Structures are given as C-alpha cells and as structure tokens.
Amino acid sequence: MHLSQRPMRIALIRHGESEANLDKSIFERVPDHAIPLTEHGWEQSAAAGKRLRALFENEPVRVYVSPYKRALQTLDALGLDDLIGQTREEPRLREQDWANFQDTEDIEAQKALRDDFGHFFYRFTTGESGADVYDRVSTFLETMHRDFDTPDSPRNVLLVSHGLTMRLFCMRWFHWSVRFFETLRNPDNAETRVLLRQPDYRYKLDRPFEQWTEYEPTQRERSAWL
C-alpha cells in the first residue's frame, strides 16, 4: 500500500445514550446486543453527525459498525447516509462480553473485583477480559489496513463502537502500555476521537482520553495526540 492511500481521518464514535446507561437492571431481561438508544441518545447522535459532517468536509466515508442495536441506531441517527459509500457490520467492534442475561448483584461484585485486579486482565465469569477485546481489535486492524489498499479507499473512515473498544483500538494502534490503558476513562456517549493523518503519514489523536487515576504518560505515549 502506498502511504498516500491512507485515509486522512479515522473517526471513532461511542454509541449514544442507551437504556442501559439509565437502568443497569435492563441486562437482566434484555440481551446486551438488543438494548436500544434513549430519545436523548438519538439526539446526541444527531448532533454528533453534524460535527462529523463538517470534519469529513462532505467527502465520502467508509463505515465499520458494531452489530449491537445501540451502535446501529447511532449510525442511523448521524444522518450521513449521503456520504457513506460502504458500511460493514463488524462483530469485532462489539461491546466487551460480560454475561448473557446478567445478575445485577453478581456483576456489581465482579466490577469491584475488576477494579482490584485490573480492567485489562480481569475476565468476567461468562464473558471477556479487556485483553480478549484487544486481541479481536488487533485482527480487525489487519482487515482495515487491507481495505486501505483498495483503489476506492476513501479519505474518511468511521468506526461506530463502544467506549472500551475505542480505548483498546487506540491502545493497539499507538502501542500504549497496559499501565497507561488502566488509567483511561471511557469517552461519553456520542463522543468522538479522531486519528488525523500527519504530513509523515503517521496519525495523531485530535485529543487524549481523560484519565481517572494518576499516571504520567511516557514521552512515546504522549506523542499519540496533538
């Protein structure tokens, strides 16, 4: 692949507010993948779509979207259909698997264990660890880079996904340490991070993720953002 074929922008967006963001008990009766956006989530996503349209300069976009209902609805609400040349439903961008129908009390107890054990390595009893998500995001990157090599590769790429998945995508892309990852907060609902191509064809984030614990990023880790 000639480096000039790399997209100018790779935008990542977390889904808008979902019913689960308001009521955790919904996991007891609705499959995680079937949880929809709230009305506010639709509004958040529509507003984000206007900002993305300006970022993309009304140029074509290739989309990869998590198959979860809240991610698909977020994509619909963005209102970018006229720019989107190709959309690929991508299961590897799904939310971290925590359980099937969840026992709220048990999940809360496991979250406390995860805080002590570490978010990257802790594996939920019937689900995944952050490391598992990291591995599947790594295989997705291989696919995405092959797509960059196609003659019709667009200047803009959009990933519609989930908070943890976004952080792990960036961790994998920029080769961040586990220690640094453990300090990072999820973006808010319908919040974006954008990888911008630089003159040397490398990418930098438009802004860093917020941190929830104290840790001074290394010089190499800080070099990932503008």
Side-chain angles (χ1 to χ4, degrees), residues 129-149:
S129 67
D132 294 325
V133 181
Y134 179 93
D135 289 344
R136 57 174 159 86
V137 166
S138 296
T139 68
F140 164 71
L141 279 175
E142 296 171 3
T143 298
M144 190 173 70
H145 276 96
R146 286 197 300 272
D147 288 346
F148 291 169
D149 203 23

Side-chain angles (χ1 to χ4, degrees), residues 28-114:
E28 297 179 2
R29 57 188 182 275
V30 180
D32 192 2
H33 63 82
I35 293 173
L37 294 181
T38 63
E39 182 177 348
H40 181 53
W42 282 92
E43 293 170 352
Q44 287 177 316
S45 303
K50 294 178 181 178
R51 294 190 294 271
L52 287 171
R53 180 178 291 276
L55 173 74
F56 296 149
E57 300 178 349
N58 280 317
E59 295 179 337
V61 184
R62 174 174 289 164
V63 175
Y64 302 89
V65 58
S66 160
Y68 277 40
K69 185 173 185 177
R70 55 189 178 272
L72 292 168
Q73 288 182 330
T74 296
L75 176 58
D76 287 343
L78 293 177
L80 299 175
D81 289 356
D82 58 312
L83 302 184
I84 297 172
Q86 181 180 358
T87 298
R88 180 178 299 171
E89 190 173 293
E90 180 49 74
R92 289 171 293 183
L93 294 179
R94 70 186 186 275
E95 179 64 279
Q96 179 184 16
D97 295 328
W98 286 18
N100 296 309
F101 289 111
Q102 298 178 18
D103 180 316
T104 301
E105 185 175 338
D106 175 61
I107 290 294
E108 291 303 315
Q110 289 196 61
K111 285 182 179 178
L113 288 173
R114 180 188 61 174

Side-chain angles (χ1 to χ4, degrees), residues 96 114 118-122 129-131 133-134 163-172 175-186 209-213 215 217 221:
Q96 179 184 16
R114 180 188 61 174
H119 287 217
F120 187 77
F121 292 113
Y122 183 83
S129 67
V133 181
Y134 179 93
L164 179 81
T165 310
M166 286 173 61
R167 286 188 287 139
L168 287 166
F169 177 95
C170 291
M171 177 187 177
R172 175 65 181 82
H175 305 287
W176 290 338
S177 66
V178 172
R179 186 179 178 189
F180 181 42
F181 166 80
E182 291 283 1
T183 73
L184 302 179
R185 290 185 184 275
N186 270 349
F209 290 90
E210 294 182 5
Q211 293 177 250
W212 68 283
T213 60
Y215 168 78
E221 288 165 342

